[in-house]
Amino acid sequence: MKLNSKVNRVLIAAVTHGNEFTGAYLMKKYEQGVNLIRRSSFETHTLFANPQAFAAVTRYIDRDLNRCFLRQDLQNTTLSGYEDLQAKKIDQLFGPNGKTPIDLILDLHSTTANMGLSIIIDSQEPFILQLATYLSVTNPAVKIYSSADSGRSLNSLRSLGKFGIAIEVGPVAQGVLNAELFLKTEALISAILDYLEQYNQGKISLLQNTLILYEYIESIDYPKNESGEIQAFIHPQLQFKDYEALNPNDPLFLTFDGQIIRYQGKSTVYPVFINEAAYYEKGIAMCFTEKKMIAVI
């Protein structure tokens, strides 16, 4: 999929998960001061995606909204849970056949993992890679995580746009505001909007032709017994080490009785979303990635 002309509509979505407050309160700020996100060459829309979950300070009411956007689910009239109905409404507004189809979706998230400032991309189209390169060059703290092989490009809210990226910031506890991460997220959004304005005006020049990204390989679960109960935690040497090298035989987990479980892979990987609180129910202790340097054209 390619963007054949300029960006016409951008959607900033927040509260896809109701207990992630960074995006929630940024959205409240934007709704009170729309000029903060207004640019002359494109429309900027906002979405408070899961208001009931936000009111209840919980990730979701019936099921994870960010897993509700498979096309067959959106077309399935028997799905009637709160998030399923909410997904259908969002699709009717902003989806490819909606009232205001979106060119680029920015979905705002926070995480309990030490992800810092992360941009999650689901494709490696030139438009997205050029944007990601610009962001990582102008702010070296920004990491680029490519989730293309994880299937998230199919069922996430950001999949409704021609292009979509997620902004993940952390670590921050669920249902908590962190001033530093709030301000960094706000600055990152402004940088993206400024880039799109320059893109539409033909003023973008590629700052470098390579990009370091972390490409999804697989997710792994915690060690569990036959009843599905967790038998070990993240090893202390690995905790908070997102985006850092995990080498063969390095400590991975520590059992409750003090036994070290080591990484048995044959190659170095770079874990992300280490010990993310919301992933316990999904059976994910962390995601392994491969660190790559790719050409950008």
Side-chain angles (χ1 to χ4, degrees):
M1 188 191 311
K2 294 183 178 180
L3 189 64
N4 296 320
S5 58
K6 71 176 187 177
V7 177
N8 294 308
R9 293 191 185 98
V10 174
L11 176 66
I12 303 175
V15 203
T16 305
H17 298 130
N19 58 4
E20 296 178 3
F21 277 12
T22 302
Y25 284 90
L26 268 172
M27 192 61 62
K28 289 177 180 292
K29 182 174 180 176
Y30 292 151
E31 289 173 350
Q32 292 172 2
V34 68
N35 285 336
L36 295 170
I37 54 173
R38 181 177 290 158
R39 299 296 185 273
S40 63
S41 67
F42 57 88
E43 299 174 8
T44 306
H45 299 261
T46 59
L47 172 67
F48 207 84
N50 200 332
Q52 284 193 20
F54 174 72
V57 194
T58 186
R59 185 174 175 86
Y60 55 82
I61 301 299
D62 292 319
R63 74 178 183 120
D64 191 334
L65 177 60
N66 216 28
R67 305 295 189 276
C68 291
F69 291 91
L70 283 174
R71 186 51 49 183
Q72 56 263 40
D73 289 348
L74 292 171
Q75 296 172 349
N76 186 343
T77 57
T78 67
L79 296 176
S80 58
Y82 171 70
E83 276 81 13
D84 289 306
L85 296 177
Q86 197 70 2
K88 291 178 172 66
K89 291 178 184 177
I90 294 169
D91 178 50
Q92 290 164 7
L93 282 173
F94 301 116
N97 299 311
K99 294 179 180 178
T100 50
I102 297 297
D103 291 319
L104 177 65
I105 294 177
L106 309 178
D107 193 14
L108 311 184
H109 290 266
S110 58
T111 170
T112 62
N114 190 26
M115 294 288 283
L117 283 176
S118 292
I119 298 292
I120 302 178
I121 63 175
D122 298 321
S123 76
Q124 295 188 19
E125 294 286 347
F127 172 73
I128 288 295
L129 292 181
Q130 289 166 14
L131 171 57
T133 302
Y134 172 85
L135 295 173
S136 63
V137 170
T138 55
N139 185 350
V142 171
K143 297 287 197 300
I144 309 300
Y145 168 42
S146 174
S147 66
D149 292 334
S150 70
R152 298 313 322 287
S153 62
L154 301 175
N155 62 359
S156 61
L157 187 153
R158 62 187 182 269
S159 69
L160 292 181
K162 289 181 181 178
F163 296 99
I165 65 176
I167 297 175
E168 281 278 4
V169 299
V172 58
Q174 297 172 346
V176 168
L177 280 168
N178 177 296
E180 180 182 5
L181 290 174
F182 183 98
L183 295 172
K184 286 182 176 179
T185 305
E186 183 178 20
L188 186 56
I189 293 167
S190 292
I192 293 171
L193 297 177
D194 289 343
Y195 174 92
L196 298 175
E197 181 85 333
Q198 294 176 52
Y199 174 88
N200 281 348
Q201 295 170 357
K203 296 179 179 179
I204 293 295
S205 58
L206 198 58
L207 299 178
Q208 66 181 37
N209 58 8
T210 58
L211 171 66
I212 293 176
L213 58 75
Y214 297 81
E215 190 170 73
Y216 175 88
I217 301 172
E218 64 176 339
S219 59
I220 66 167
D221 199 356
Y222 297 89
K224 293 179 177 177
N225 62 18
E226 293 179 355
S227 301
E229 296 176 332
I230 290 175
Q231 298 299 294
F233 8 62
I234 304 295
H235 194 280
Q237 292 183 23
L238 181 58
Q239 182 65 48
F240 300 123
K241 298 297 180 62
D242 300 75
Y243 294 112
E244 295 189 22
L246 178 69
N247 300 302
N249 209 41
D250 280 352
L252 184 60
F253 297 106
L254 184 67
T255 67
F256 299 144
D257 60 1
Q259 300 299 309
I260 296 174
I261 299 174
R262 297 183 180 275
Y263 169 55
Q264 297 299 311
K266 296 181 179 180
S267 61
T268 297
V269 293
Y270 295 79
V272 297
F273 287 111
I274 299 171
N275 207 18
E276 160 58 45
Y279 285 178
Y280 275 70
E281 69 174 27
K282 300 182 189 304
I284 298 174
M286 68 194 74
C287 298
F288 286 162
T289 73
E290 180 182 2
K291 185 178 182 180
K292 288 186 172 182
M293 179 177 287
I294 63 170
V296 179
I297 56 173

